[in-house]
Amino acid sequence: MVSGGSGRHDAIIVGAGHNGLVAACYLARAGLDVLVLERNPYIGGAAVSRRLYDGFTYSNCSYVCSLLRTEIIRELNLPGYGLQIIPYEGGCTMMRDGGHLALYHNHDALRREIARHSRRDAESYERYLRDMLRQCRFIKPLLLREPPDPTSFKPRDIRELLYLGKHFHRLGEQRMYDTVRFWTMSCADFLDEYFESEIVKAHLAGSSIIGTALGPRSPGTAYVLLHHYMGNIDGAVGAWGFARGGMGAVTQALAASFQASGGSIRSGAPVERILVRNGRACGVVLESGEELLARIVVSNLDVRRTFLDIMNANDLPEEFVSQVRNFKIRGSSGKLNIALDGLPHFPAIPHGSPSIRGDLHVTDSIEMLERAYDDWKEGRWSRAPYIDMLMPSQIDPTLTPAGKHYMSVFVQYCPYKLADGEWDAARRQAFGRTVIDTIAEHSPDFKDLILHAEIRTPWDLENEVGLTEGNIFQGELTFDQLLFNRPIPGYAQYRAPVRGMYMCGSSTHPGGGVMGAPGANAAGAILRDLGRAH
Amino acid sequence: MLTESEPHYRQPLLKTPFHERARALSQVDSFIPWAGYTTVDVFSFVEQEYFAIRNASTLYDLTPMVKYRIDGRDALRYLNRLMTRDIGKLKVGRVAYSVWCNDAGHLIDDGTVFRLGDTEYRLCTGERQLDWLLDSALGFDLQIDEVTEETAALAVQGPTSCAVLKNMGLGGIERLKPFELAHFALPAAIASDAQIMVSRTGFTGDLGYELWMRPEDAEAVWDALMEAGRYCAIRPIGSRALNMARIEAGFVLPNVDFVSGERTLRAGTERSPIELGLGWLVDLNKGHFTGRRALLEEQRRGPRRQLVGLDIEGNKPAHNALLYADKAGRRQIGSVSSATWSPTCKRNIALAMVDVPYIETGSTLWAEIYLNRELVWERRMARTHVVERPFFAPERRRLSPPADY
Ligand SMILES: Cc1cc2nc3c(=O)[nH]c(=O)nc-3n(C[C@H](O)[C@H](O)[C@H](O)COP(=O)(O)OP(=O)(O)OC[C@H]3O[C@@H](n4cnc5c(N)ncnc54)[C@H](O)[C@@H]3O)c2cc1C
């Protein structure tokens, strides 16, 4: 094991986000000497648990887990390093008129629940699930594969394109049409094909716009719905859960697995520049001025940061740089982490309903969601924001002192740039107040229970986590930026236009979320280039 | 009575109006979910319950069957578009078994259609599918409502079932022919002013009736039947015993022998009525109906596989067995979907989906069966023959008037 300093490493990974760590694990397991460099004094990127208030652990950014590929969890033995993912049951949208819609795990409870709003929708829901599952079955095998380049004639690309083509044809004629439509249509149009009840549509539409600078009526949002549905917990497709100890448990387990394979991590070591000599990446310079050399450099940062901030444009093809500039990576989300003195009361949620332990929402129509997006377009945070709110401390006993609760509130929409000036402390507070007021409308005792709140705007996310504009997926998940077009057409195979340099962050296929697939695929590409089987 | 004691998120399954009676008679506390209700799987002892179907009389709670009222000027036109069978031939007061398909000719479900009046029909099916029924109703002048909860239903099946109903006071019941329905006034001792609908239908392949009533009359009717059947050896049965009888009768069950073409995820797992051996329910000459074009094509080309009846050597039911063309098990040609030992036929029978050409009666196949020898598992390749269905079809099921036993 080489511990930093003078020796030349086989690989340096810039960024200890979960994808950087996944790539690091696979490389170290293949016998490479790997060093991970992290800017922050802690690791994890957007998958992190921090204690900012006495006795409370927050999942500061990401807060629920489903997408993390089971193959990765097994191969890297993450359970052996303390990772435990516990599914939660259902969720609930509270309505402005005091009503609610909950989603239950039990099939019959769910049918009866939806039937309270529309009997027909209760049965259409089966068709909706079927179609989501059909799309999942299509996309699943593509997640842990390097996307083929359709313009290339390399045998591997042709082989992979044939695979993609065959896989597509296996869907059958009708479903091929469905898939193409699905990948390009709006979530609102998609849901209209199944449901008549506004509340059912509103509840489901939430995951089509999370982290996305689009409204439910924008084309492309149906896919985002799938992106949130294609994960699974123990084979239950679409199920979400909590990582015990917060989402930082994912990156802590990865770090432990990596170190057990002989890798080393340096936190508090921001990379200022990736060194390129003779057209080949050869190491990095830290902000401290320290130079570290490596045969391979892998960036976990989003493509904008990677190529515009820590690389010299002169080292890159000109067209590539302008494509990177055009990469859509708009911030649209905020986050509140709240320490509560007790469990708040939500009168709309019936007593004894398990939905209180799931994801809670207050947006009860597509219209309301679209209006929330309108605010974003105008350069202000939504006055009636979409929130995805959970209290994992009801399930995970490690997060808070007994009887207290941690509430994670994901907020959509919040702009990176405000129309009326820069983000500052007062505006951050005002944003936080909007969110807290929104919740308080549905919970009379909520405000009195607040002990501490961490408020994060897209500007904070950019500055703390390093996500450009605070885009949670390291780039929008629209069809023009997916598969072989992600992040940049012609560069979907994790290789940067500079030899010896690779990308492994969520900017690459198959995209954002705590999934690990970009990191695993990048490691596969590297090992293939090194002539080592993966 | 229907009581909503607990909200659905605590108790997702509903109780049928017969639930209290069933619970009181249940000896082994074996309940299973069925279409949103909790129902009895076994009351006491499966073989005894089974033999009551073939030897005496049985009560089976049918309430969870999903029931739709279809009423309106275009009801007939609608049903003829929906269904593969010619519903135009169905007269008022009669019942027809039918299936329906999607455009691809894949079976969605099967069920019984009751013609209650000139424009009023009732459809009974195993699965909820209001969305499909409503989508298909576009442009037709009619009303479709689910009436499952408004109608309690009880199957009275077995060789003494006619006698039981006579004893109960349903005068003229013996004149009811197979697939006929009639309304009877309930004797005042049971319920004043109440009617009950009886159809000579069932899922046992035996003599039997199905009784359709208001939920508020349910317990009284149950009690009256138990009383009237006292000397006819009547007993309540659960789904397990019924399942043995329905396999003997050769009837298919959704989600056991086929998955609705509107629910499958994998291409190629859908089934057509022709493949399920229900081609006799498809009337390609009645005019257009959903799936007709695909079924015409399939009929022209011939099905690639078909549901067949099997007679398997040995006495170990071939649950989920894989079927091979050769004893060595090199070439898989199908699999078993329903299997049982038939206590009446004394044969080891099954329903299976088998590839052409092995569907011909008399073909020899091999079934891979796992045997539990005090937890030491062994594999056996059992010689199997394709045989005619139904496996058991007693004359009495058709006889009118029926005998007393
Ligand atoms: C508020 C929020 C909520 C989310 N909720 C969920 C959720 O519930 N579930 C889910 O699955 N996904 C969620 N996501 C998305 C998911 O968290 C991210 O897509 C994913 O974590 C990104 O991982 P990554 O490894 O690709 O990149 P990152 O996590 O962004 O990692 C990049 C790393 O690089 C480091 N870095 C940056 N610059 C430098 C430098 N110059 N030198 C060295 N290191 C540097 C950063 O500090 C960071 O650690 C959420 C994201 C956010 C922001």
Side-chain angles (χ1 to χ4, degrees):
Chain A
M1 180 166 127
V2 186
S3 49
S6 51
R8 194 167 96 129
H9 299 276
D10 290 334
I12 285 179
I13 295 183
V14 185
H18 81 283
N19 277 316
L21 292 169
V22 167
C25 283
Y26 281 108
L27 296 183
R29 279 173 175 245
L32 271 59
D33 151 39
V34 185
L35 172 66
V36 175
L37 298 170
E38 168 58 44
R39 185 185 63 152
N40 282 321
Y42 48 86
I43 62 158
V48 68
S49 306
R50 296 178 67 200
R51 298 196 140 205
L52 300 179
Y53 182 75
D54 200 22
F56 286 74
T57 302
Y58 294 162
S59 283
N60 300 69
C61 290
S62 60
Y63 48 101
V64 285
C65 194
S66 167
L67 304 175
L68 190 60
R69 301 306 306 161
T70 313
E71 298 90 329
I72 296 172
I73 299 179
R74 286 175 72 165
E75 284 165 13
L76 303 181
N77 186 21
L78 301 186
Y81 296 102
L83 179 64
Q84 202 183 338
I85 294 166
I86 308 146
Y88 66 81
E89 180 179 346
C92 181
T93 295
M94 294 171 261
M95 297 160 76
R96 281 169 288 185
D97 65 3
H100 79 285
L101 170 78
L103 290 199
Y104 296 114
H105 182 75
N106 180 281
H107 177 265
D108 293 299
L110 177 59
R111 181 177 53 73
R112 288 170 64 191
E113 173 68 13
I114 299 178
R116 293 196 304 117
H117 300 277
S118 156
R119 209 158 187 166
R120 179 185 194 161
D121 285 0
E123 294 171 35
S124 300
Y125 189 73
E126 302 273 327
R127 190 160 53 91
Y128 169 79
L129 279 188
R130 173 202 71 185
D131 288 349
M132 291 299 274
L133 287 171
R134 280 179 180 172
Q135 297 300 335
C136 286
R137 287 183 56 79
F138 173 66
I139 196 167
K140 203 180 114 189
L142 308 180
L143 297 177
L144 283 176
R145 291 178 97 93
E146 193 174 293
D149 183 343
T151 65
S152 142
F153 291 102
K154 277 190 262 170
R156 188 185 150 78
D157 281 309
I158 293 174
R159 214 167 51 233
E160 287 289 298
L161 271 175
L162 275 175
Y163 173 82
L164 187 67
K166 263 214 308 256
H167 184 56
F168 191 54
H169 266 265
R170 248 187 316 228
L171 285 171
E173 190 186 345
Q174 191 52 46
R175 297 178 198 177
M176 276 156 62
Y177 297 132
D178 288 345
T179 298
V180 174
R181 267 163 36 81
F182 180 79
W183 281 59
T184 48
M185 76 200 295
S186 82
C187 169
D189 286 344
F190 178 65
L191 293 174
D192 277 342
E193 295 190 354
Y194 300 86
F195 303 110
E196 59 186 16
S197 151
E198 200 52 45
I199 180 66
V200 173
K201 288 189 265 190
H203 185 88
L204 297 173
S207 35
S208 76
I209 51 94
I210 280 189
T212 304
L214 293 172
R217 298 204 175 110
S218 315
T221 45
Y223 170 76
V224 184
L225 203 62
L226 175 64
H227 197 85
H228 285 99
Y229 200 83
M230 66 197 188
N232 76 83
I233 298 182
D234 303 323
V237 177
W240 284 82
F242 299 117
R244 194 172 198 261
M247 287 299 275
V250 173
T251 41
Q252 290 302 327
L254 283 166
S257 171
F258 174 55
Q259 281 157 344
S261 309
S264 47
I265 303 174
R266 276 175 68 183
S267 44
V271 169
E272 187 171 86
R273 195 145 299 276
I274 293 177
L275 290 172
V276 178
R277 286 185 192 137
N278 305 323
R280 217 196 136 82
C282 59
V284 300
V285 187
L286 300 185
E287 275 177 17
S288 63
E290 190 181 345
E291 224 181 75
L292 295 162
L293 300 180
R295 291 198 311 172
I296 283 169
V297 179
V298 187
S299 173
N300 182 195
L301 318 194
D302 66 62
V303 283
R304 285 271 275 275
R305 293 233 141 186
T306 303
F307 297 106
L308 305 181
D309 287 4
I310 62 165
M311 282 194 78
N312 202 326
N314 298 339
D315 292 326
L316 299 164
E318 197 176 280
E319 230 172 284
F320 178 79
V321 174
S322 58
Q323 279 178 307
V324 170
R325 280 180 191 289
N326 292 335
F327 183 67
K328 279 185 299 173
I329 183 161
R330 302 169 294 200
S332 60
S333 322
K335 175 94 197 274
L336 265 66
N337 294 302
I338 304 172
L340 295 167
D341 206 13
L343 194 67
H345 176 52
F346 292 94
I349 303 178
H351 180 69
S353 164
S355 62
I356 184 87
R357 294 191 288 275
D359 43 293
L360 309 178
H361 314 268
V362 298
T363 305
D364 62 7
S365 71
I366 295 276
E367 183 66 21
M368 194 175 164
L369 206 51
E370 190 70 25
R371 290 283 90 83
Y373 175 50
D374 289 343
D375 284 333
W376 181 87
K377 285 185 279 184
E378 313 263 319
R380 57 173 179 260
W381 61 81
S382 308
R383 286 162 292 187
Y386 170 81
I387 58 174
D388 185 26
M389 165 170 73
L390 293 107
M391 293 179 284
S393 48
Q394 295 171 94
I395 293 176
D396 180 349
T398 70
L399 298 177
T400 62
K404 318 268 183 226
H405 286 283
Y406 157 53
M407 180 190 271
S408 162
V409 190
F410 183 89
V411 189
Q412 194 78 10
Y413 299 82
C414 184
Y416 172 69
K417 282 201 189 73
L418 293 172
D420 65 351
E422 297 293 307
W423 279 106
D424 58 19
R427 290 196 172 94
R428 181 189 297 114
Q429 282 307 315
F431 165 64
R433 254 196 321 275
T434 301
V435 177
I436 288 170
D437 287 346
T438 303
I439 300 169
E441 276 171 41
H442 296 270
S443 174
D445 59 350
F446 172 64
K447 281 186 183 175
D448 296 336
L449 293 169
I450 299 176
L451 300 170
H452 170 261
E454 180 196 22
I455 303 165
R456 296 180 132 202
T457 68
W459 188 88
D460 300 312
L461 291 173
E462 177 176 78
N463 283 284
E464 289 174 32
V465 193
L467 295 161
T468 297
E469 291 200 17
N471 183 295
I472 74 165
F473 297 131
Q474 289 198 354
E476 300 272 357
L477 299 173
T478 47
F479 199 39
D480 56 327
Q481 302 194 150
L482 288 173
L483 288 169
F484 40 72
N485 286 331
R486 191 171 184 90
I488 308 291
Y491 296 93
Q493 300 180 335
Y494 309 94
R495 296 163 183 93
V498 172
R499 270 187 301 134
M501 175 160 176
Y502 297 83
M503 313 170 258
C504 75
S506 298
S507 283
T508 60
H509 169 79
V514 180
M515 186 169 7
N521 291 348
I526 293 167
L527 292 174
R528 260 195 306 280
D529 286 355
L530 293 176
R532 305 196 190 200
H534 173 50
Chain B
M1 273 310 302
L2 256 181
T3 48
E4 177 125 0
S5 48
E6 288 274 10
H8 55 289
Y9 47 84
R10 289 205 205 206
Q11 222 170 64
L13 295 177
L14 298 166
K15 295 188 171 92
T16 80
F18 302 107
H19 182 81
E20 292 312 318
R21 291 292 184 272
R23 179 157 292 279
L25 291 171
S26 158
Q27 291 179 8
V28 294
D29 221 18
S30 171
F31 289 78
I32 51 167
W34 172 25
Y37 288 85
T38 180
T39 57
V40 177
D41 194 27
V42 183
F43 272 94
S44 54
F45 171 16
V46 183
E47 282 69 23
Q48 287 299 318
E49 291 170 34
Y50 163 83
F51 272 113
I53 301 173
R54 296 288 182 232
N55 167 55
S57 265
T58 55
L59 288 188
Y60 180 72
D61 182 357
L62 266 188
T63 308
M65 282 296 285
V66 182
K67 309 165 205 95
Y68 296 103
R69 184 196 302 118
I70 299 172
D71 194 2
R73 207 163 49 96
D74 289 340
L76 172 59
R77 252 184 358 107
Y78 166 73
L79 286 169
N80 250 342
R81 235 286 289 274
L82 181 77
M83 306 248 165
T84 58
R85 214 171 167 180
D86 188 355
I87 304 299
K89 292 184 181 152
L90 186 65
K91 298 197 184 69
V92 176
R94 289 202 50 95
V95 187
Y97 173 61
S98 184
V99 297
W100 48 104
C101 296
N102 59 17
D103 281 335
H106 298 141
L107 188 71
I108 292 180
D109 208 346
D110 64 347
T112 40
V113 186
F114 294 67
R115 184 156 188 195
L116 302 179
D118 258 355
T119 63
E120 189 189 347
Y121 293 82
R122 180 184 294 163
L123 175 61
C124 284
T125 78
E127 300 258 298
R128 286 190 172 71
Q129 46 204 296
L130 190 61
D131 58 334
W132 180 266
L133 297 180
L134 288 174
D135 283 349
S136 308
L138 211 72
F140 291 98
D141 179 11
L142 51 82
Q143 175 79 26
I144 303 177
D145 300 294
E146 189 189 331
V147 294
T148 307
E149 288 179 32
E150 288 139 57
T151 316
L154 210 50
V156 183
Q157 305 269 313
T160 62
S161 52
C162 183
V164 171
L165 296 180
K166 266 193 290 193
N167 285 352
M168 189 176 104
L170 302 189
I173 186 73
E174 66 282 358
R175 286 194 295 277
L176 203 63
K177 298 204 181 70
F179 288 102
E180 268 183 358
L181 65 88
H183 295 266
F184 295 85
L186 279 178
I190 301 174
S192 56
D193 243 11
Q195 279 218 328
I196 190 167
M197 186 174 97
V198 181
S199 54
R200 190 162 160 193
T201 47
F203 207 45
T204 58
D206 215 305
L207 174 66
Y209 301 84
E210 290 171 333
L211 277 50
W212 313 85
M213 66 209 85
R214 300 181 312 186
E216 54 267 39
D217 301 328
E219 290 191 339
V221 169
W222 174 287
D223 294 341
L225 283 164
M226 289 298 279
E227 179 57 32
R230 206 142 48 116
Y231 302 109
C232 306
I234 197 165
R235 69 188 292 159
I237 62 164
S239 296
R240 205 97 69 84
L242 177 65
N243 192 47
M244 294 169 72
R246 75 93 193 163
I247 297 172
E248 289 177 335
F251 295 139
V252 293
L253 203 59
N255 293 325
V256 175
D257 299 299
F258 68 93
V259 174
S260 161
E262 284 297 295
R263 292 279 177 269
T264 56
L265 299 180
R266 297 159 182 81
T269 54
E270 316 88 350
R271 296 289 173 255
S272 80
I274 299 173
E275 288 176 329
L276 283 164
L278 300 173
W280 62 279
L281 294 175
V282 179
D283 186 346
L284 292 166
N285 302 318
K286 71 165 185 171
H288 182 71
F289 62 91
T290 307
R292 178 170 181 269
R293 208 180 334 151
L295 291 172
L296 259 177
E297 171 60 19
E298 185 178 343
Q299 201 194 38
R300 194 187 55 76
R301 161 169 67 64
R304 294 197 188 93
R305 55 178 91 83
Q306 201 149 39
L307 189 90
V308 296
L310 298 182
D311 187 331
I312 301 156
E313 74 175 356
N315 58 7
K316 174 80 198 331
H319 299 299
N320 305 317
L322 301 184
L323 298 170
Y324 299 93
D326 56 319
K327 189 174 183 183
R330 273 190 286 270
R331 199 169 132 66
Q332 195 198 330
I333 48 149
S335 57
V336 168
S337 50
S338 292
T340 187
W341 170 257
S342 165
T344 297
C345 309
K346 302 294 180 225
R347 285 158 90 192
N348 190 16
I349 62 172
L351 301 176
M353 192 53 76
V354 170
D355 292 343
V356 169
Y358 302 93
I359 60 172
E360 298 308 325
T361 298
S363 303
T364 303
L365 322 173
W366 297 87
E368 181 174 350
I369 296 176
Y370 293 91
L371 302 172
N372 181 353
R373 307 255 186 254
E374 284 89 42
L375 297 183
V376 176
W377 288 85
E378 282 171 23
R379 188 178 79 137
R380 178 197 290 162
M381 288 299 228
R383 186 191 298 273
T384 296
H385 293 286
V386 175
V387 296
E388 296 286 346
R389 284 185 294 154
F391 302 95
F392 179 65
E395 253 328 288
R396 59 181 179 248
R397 79 189 195 284
R398 293 234 176 89
L399 207 62
S400 268
D404 277 347
Y405 48 83

